[in-house]
Amino acid sequence: MKTVWGEALERNAILPEYPRPQMARESYLNLNGIWQYAITKAGELPAQPEGEILVPFSPESELSGVQRMLKPEETLWYTRTFTLPAGFNIGRVLLHFGAVDQTATVYLNETELGTHTGGYLPFSFDVTAILKEGENTLLVRVRDVSDTSFHARGKQKRKRGGIWYTPQSGIWQTVWCESVPEDYIAALRITPHFDESSVEICAYPQDGNCALPCIVRIGDVVQHGTAGIPVTVSMEGFKSWSPEHPYLYDCEVRMGEDCVKSYFGMRKFSVEQDEAGVPRLFLNGRPYFHTGVLDQGYWPDGLYTAPSDEAMVHDIETMKEMGFNMLRKHIKVEPLRWYYHCDRLGMLVWQDMPNGGGTYKTSTISLPLVTGKHLPDGEKNYHRFAREDAQGRREYYEELEEMVALLYNSPSVAMWVPFNEGWGQFDAAEAVRRIREMDETRTIDHASGWHDQGIGDVQSLHVYFKPYRFAPDRLGRAVLLTEFGGYNCRVEGHCFNKKDFGYKRFETGDALLAAWRTLYENEILPAKEQGLAAAVYTQLSDVEDELNGLMTYDRMVLKFPADAAREINERLKN
């Protein structure tokens, strides 16, 4: 089942765009495209390649050309050669992987570079000393135990079905090289101070002891400083960033011979009381209703990997055309270009942390939808939440902090969601503490759906099987309806299979629209007037068995007209 972008795929130009827009250099060598692959039993070396695989599409996906599921007891091997262009190396060469699921060991010219575990986050190696003149050989060894262990896995399941989807393995984001000077900027941290009319920018060198002079340029304004120490630049008279007016400022940071280009938006997220004393989500000092959809980022032909930049933009722009101003990125971390498009197009993002842990118990993750029962998530209940493995809990914190650091600079990211529906939840208060220690600029939904620990600024509810009626939170927090709806409608010729999963079924687009409009007019619009601060409809597109998307899985059919949804959403936003 292919999308129009999958059909038009150029094998020699796979996702060629620069993969890191918020820290861009002139140096860029894309390594996507045709690689060789082999699959062996764990511990065995491949005798020879089995065939070609199109990177960065996972072997389980149609676009990879393989369409084979990697088993927990198997090893996936990738190989390719590459030659650096003449003059490419200006001091050091860095090899970057956008994401590899789950554990990757990388070799260059038969030298082991290192191992990375975690299927959703980028990692890099300095390969300068290992490169050869002419052809270089890159080898990647991958293990993915999927849902047989505690590693973060999101909604992947070997026995897919219902709300759980086809697992995917291996390289699924862009592989690329860049060259940097001997001393270079390893990371940027950009913090807009909305109330103070300033922005704080810090350039972190690759060597923490490096104290080279640093120059920040924003338009005609130049500020001098030192690497590793934040530089504050006045933004007096600034233009604010919002979904309606997503104004971005370009900036340039120099440290020694290194220069990176970035951007930022001046905006402020908070929870405050409106004029009537009702706690609301605020944007830039004013109440702002978040009307959004659950966005799982799955593609029928690429699984986790969108077939093109245009495909990602299509999803965002279609939801904007329907009047939504927010996407809840559900149980997945996207490539950085996806956040860049949300930044420039004006789409708020609620970012979920991908879940992990052991085998989930139905009594913990499903029954609360009916019973409303919440459990404490501390040590005494680790077994109920499938979080008994200490290493898994450590991995969770490490990856949570990496995710927050990775997306910190994105203007569109408005909310962190560390746990959803009790999937591997534990010590949510500690997760919130760690997030706040790193980021005080955003709000946090600590437990989306249920197993509320009575902390934070928001109460988060999922309601599917009964009418939603607003009730203020007894702790005085802002109330968010973070999942609801899930109405399904089959569009023949655009479905993954014959299965049909959803929370309420409709036979035609007209019937779906009538029910959708009634849902919003009878439940969401009145609740907004009473104090509801956000609403997240399930969902953006169909995903495999789930036929409850506003679009079909292949993105070919919008199930009802965009202007019908926009009319309701405009009423919510006013």
Side-chain angles (χ1 to χ4, degrees):
M1 184 182 190
K2 284 187 178 179
T3 62
V4 293
W5 306 281
E7 292 284 3
L9 204 68
E10 295 185 29
R11 289 167 63 85
N12 295 318
I14 305 299
L15 297 169
E17 295 84 5
Y18 191 86
R20 194 181 57 192
Q22 274 203 312
M23 193 173 160
R25 293 185 175 92
E26 295 299 324
S27 174
Y28 176 46
L29 177 63
N30 187 296
L31 296 180
N32 292 340
I34 300 170
W35 294 44
Q36 300 296 311
Y37 86 95
I39 296 176
T40 67
K41 292 182 179 180
E44 293 184 2
L45 296 172
Q48 59 186 17
E50 293 182 28
E52 294 181 345
I53 184 169
L54 203 56
V55 169
F57 300 106
S58 69
E60 292 85 355
S61 71
E62 184 176 356
L63 291 179
S64 72
V66 177
Q67 289 188 273
R68 174 177 168 184
M69 185 183 297
L70 184 68
K71 298 176 182 178
E73 66 275 11
E74 293 179 327
T75 300
L76 169 63
W77 302 84
Y78 292 88
T79 58
R80 71 155 290 164
T81 59
F82 68 94
T83 301
L84 294 181
F88 183 84
N89 186 358
I90 61 171
R92 297 174 184 262
V93 176
L94 306 180
L95 172 64
H96 298 284
F97 291 82
V100 183
D101 193 5
Q102 289 170 317
T103 299
T105 303
V106 183
Y107 304 82
L108 182 63
N109 298 329
E110 300 184 347
T111 298
E112 182 176 333
L113 302 178
T115 297
H116 179 270
T117 295
Y120 296 89
L121 295 162
F123 58 97
S124 304
F125 301 102
D126 185 334
V127 297
T128 312
I130 303 163
L131 287 165
K132 300 189 300 186
E133 290 290 332
E135 190 172 80
N136 292 269
T137 301
L138 183 58
L139 172 69
V140 183
R141 183 183 72 202
V142 177
R143 291 290 308 280
D144 185 354
V145 297
S146 192
D147 57 341
T148 67
S149 185
F150 49 74
H151 301 301
R153 59 182 180 272
K155 298 187 76 173
Q156 303 178 70
K157 196 169 185 178
R158 288 168 302 141
K159 295 183 179 180
R160 53 153 302 280
I163 68 167
W164 308 104
Y165 312 139
T166 299
Q168 67 102 69
S169 307
I171 299 170
W172 68 274
Q173 290 188 28
T174 293
V175 186
W176 57 293
C177 284
E178 68 174 338
S179 189
V180 296
E182 285 291 335
D183 294 312
Y184 65 93
I185 299 168
L188 292 178
R189 181 179 169 91
I190 305 175
T191 306
H193 294 296
F194 190 90
D195 292 337
E196 291 78 25
S197 299
S198 66
V199 64
E200 183 180 281
I201 300 178
C202 186
Y204 292 95
Q206 94 283 359
D207 179 355
N209 296 319
C210 176
L212 286 173
C214 187
I215 302 173
V216 175
R217 181 186 296 274
I218 303 171
D220 295 330
V221 177
V222 177
Q223 190 78 28
H224 293 262
T226 303
I229 299 174
V231 172
T232 299
V233 182
S234 173
M235 297 295 296
E236 194 67 36
F238 67 83
K239 296 181 180 179
S240 60
W241 183 97
S242 70
E244 293 72 27
H245 303 285
Y247 190 86
L248 297 174
Y249 286 91
D250 292 326
C251 65
E252 180 182 279
V253 183
R254 291 183 177 271
M255 185 194 78
E257 297 179 0
D258 195 18
C259 177
V260 296
K261 294 181 180 180
S262 190
Y263 65 87
F264 63 91
M266 294 296 294
R267 51 87 180 109
K268 177 187 177 183
F269 302 117
S270 58
V271 174
E272 302 177 40
Q273 292 185 355
D274 64 14
E275 292 180 352
V278 177
R280 302 272 190 182
L281 295 177
F282 274 51
L283 173 63
N284 301 337
R286 297 180 179 179
Y288 192 90
F289 191 85
H290 293 207
T291 175
V293 295
L294 201 70
D295 178 4
Q296 313 217 51
Y298 263 81
W299 299 85
D301 43 11
L303 293 180
Y304 267 2
T305 310
S308 71
D309 220 45
E310 292 79 10
M312 288 191 284
V313 170
H314 171 267
D315 276 5
I316 300 166
E317 288 187 333
T318 301
M319 292 304 104
K320 280 191 72 75
E321 289 171 8
M322 298 186 84
F324 295 103
N325 58 26
M326 176 265 286
L327 299 174
R328 179 180 167 201
K329 182 49 62 176
H330 193 40
I331 314 299
K332 181 193 179 192
V333 181
E334 290 284 3
L336 289 174
R337 288 197 65 82
W338 185 85
Y339 300 93
Y340 162 67
H341 292 311
C342 289
D343 294 339
R344 71 176 184 84
L345 294 172
M347 180 64 80
L348 297 175
V349 176
W350 291 9
Q351 179 62 51
D352 285 16
M353 172 65 188
N355 55 290
T359 302
Y360 303 143
K361 295 176 171 61
T362 301
S363 59
T364 302
I365 70 167
S366 298
L367 286 183
L369 178 59
V370 177
T371 66
K373 185 178 179 180
H374 297 259
L375 295 173
D377 64 7
E379 184 175 359
K380 290 183 178 180
N381 275 335
Y382 283 172
H383 66 289
R384 295 193 180 192
F385 287 93
R387 274 298 188 182
E388 297 168 282
D389 193 284
Q391 183 181 343
R393 297 194 300 273
R394 287 193 297 270
E395 274 191 16
Y396 171 86
Y397 284 139
E398 290 171 1
E399 293 181 37
L400 175 68
E401 292 173 358
E402 285 182 35
M403 181 186 75
V404 172
L406 177 70
L407 304 180
Y408 180 86
N409 294 339
S410 176
S412 61
V413 176
M415 178 91 68
W416 300 114
V417 186
F419 295 111
N420 178 77
E421 294 186 354
W423 301 345
Q425 181 174 329
F426 71 100
D427 297 335
E430 173 62 13
V432 169
R433 186 195 68 78
R434 290 176 181 243
I435 294 172
R436 289 200 192 285
E437 192 172 73
M438 296 181 67
D439 182 8
E440 296 180 345
T441 70
R442 295 174 172 93
T443 50
I444 303 171
D445 175 3
H446 80 281
S448 188
W450 39 84
H451 302 304
D452 188 340
Q453 303 304 298
I455 61 175
D457 299 319
V458 305
Q459 180 191 35
S460 178
L461 305 170
H462 294 181
V463 178
Y464 284 112
F465 299 123
K466 59 183 179 181
Y468 173 66
R469 296 293 179 259
F470 176 79
D473 177 49
R474 59 183 179 81
L475 299 177
R477 299 171 297 180
V479 178
L480 318 179
L481 184 57
T482 50
E483 287 186 32
F484 72 101
Y487 291 177
N488 76 324
C489 179
R490 171 176 286 273
V491 181
E492 293 297 346
H494 300 277
C495 300
F496 180 74
N497 57 26
K498 294 183 179 180
K499 294 183 178 180
D500 194 335
F501 181 88
Y503 299 113
K504 196 171 184 180
R505 182 174 180 175
F506 298 91
E507 298 299 327
T508 66
D510 288 343
L512 175 65
L513 172 58
W516 188 88
R517 181 182 283 125
T518 298
L519 173 65
Y520 272 77
E521 289 183 336
N522 290 356
E523 300 178 30
I524 307 306
L525 283 161
K528 188 253 184 174
E529 295 305 313
Q530 294 168 326
L532 184 67
V536 184
Y537 181 81
T538 301
Q539 62 180 321
L540 183 146
S541 77
D542 296 345
V543 182
E544 299 193 350
D545 296 355
E546 291 186 331
L547 300 181
N548 50 16
L550 296 172
M551 291 189 287
T552 54
Y553 196 19
D554 58 8
R555 274 62 166 187
M556 291 288 289
V557 179
L558 190 62
K559 296 184 183 180
F560 55 78
D563 58 359
R566 186 167 61 250
E567 186 271 330
I568 293 287
N569 277 319
E570 290 306 315
R571 289 161 64 185
L572 277 170
K573 290 185 286 188
N574 291 329

